[in-house]
């Protein structure tokens, strides 16, 4: 079995997958980019190098635990800023805690093309 390394693409089911390192507090973890789709969760810090690998994704799924600061997860504002920084077309926030607020109320506060994810959400990626 081959070791997965950040920044080194791998092939699976005919798709190129780019592992991308992010930090969950001080612990390095991997997110992934598959074509124009990226999945980043359990992140607090995303380096400039990793952000460059994510630029221009069409769909971003990223953690946004709560509105208040947290030691190991992005806040909603940090996740929004990150999505703008990499120029994601659409962003879905996941890994949401109970302190975020009610889904409907928070959804009304979000910028255009940014959404709270929900159970059974399905996204089509190419």
């Amino acid at each position: 079995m081959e070791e997965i390394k950040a920044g080194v693409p791998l092939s699976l089911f005919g798709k190129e997958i780019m592992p991308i390192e992010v930090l969950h507090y001080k612990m390095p973890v991997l997110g992934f980019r598959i074509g124009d789709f990226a999945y980043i969760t359990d992140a607090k810090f995303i380096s400039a190098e990793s952000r460059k690998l994510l630029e221009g994704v069409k769909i971003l799924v990223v953690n946004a635990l709560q509105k208040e600061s947290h030691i190991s997860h992005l806040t909603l504002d940090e996740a929004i800023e990150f999505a703008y920084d990499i120029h994601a077309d659409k962003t879905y926030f996941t890994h949401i805690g109970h302190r975020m607020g009610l889904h409907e109320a928070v959804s009304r506060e979000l910028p255009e093309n940014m959404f709270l994810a929900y159970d059974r959400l399905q996204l089509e990626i190419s």
Side-chain angles (χ1 to χ4, degrees):
M1 184 179 232
E2 190 176 331
E3 181 181 348
I4 298 173
K5 295 180 183 177
V8 179
L10 57 109
S11 181
L12 186 64
F13 304 115
K15 299 278 187 185
E16 182 177 282
I17 300 169
M18 176 62 72
I20 298 168
E21 185 176 281
V22 299
L23 290 179
H24 182 252
Y25 185 49
K26 295 180 181 180
M27 181 173 64
V29 297
L30 295 175
F32 298 93
R33 180 173 182 161
I34 305 165
D36 288 330
F37 172 81
Y39 181 81
I40 308 289
T41 192
D42 278 338
K44 178 61 176 181
F45 176 77
I46 303 153
S47 71
E49 181 180 302
S50 290
R51 287 172 188 252
K52 189 170 181 100
L53 294 173
L54 293 162
E55 283 181 359
V57 295
K58 291 193 186 313
I59 299 175
L60 169 66
V61 177
V62 64
N63 68 273
L65 185 67
Q66 58 195 29
K67 293 179 180 179
E68 298 80 23
S69 184
H70 192 273
I71 194 168
S72 59
H73 295 97
L74 294 171
T75 65
L76 181 58
D77 284 343
E78 290 168 337
I80 289 169
E81 182 181 323
F82 168 62
Y84 279 136
D85 184 50
I86 65 166
H87 308 288
D89 287 352
K90 286 188 179 179
T91 301
Y92 295 86
F93 302 110
T94 192
H95 201 104
I96 301 165
H98 67 280
R99 292 185 179 121
M100 179 70 78
L102 296 177
H103 192 278
E104 187 176 314
V106 175
S107 292
R108 285 191 302 264
E109 301 170 7
L110 294 176
E112 187 176 348
N113 293 322
M114 294 191 187
F115 313 91
L116 294 182
Y118 53 88
D119 292 345
R120 296 188 179 197
L121 172 65
Q122 294 182 21
L123 301 171
E124 189 171 321
I125 60 172
S126 54

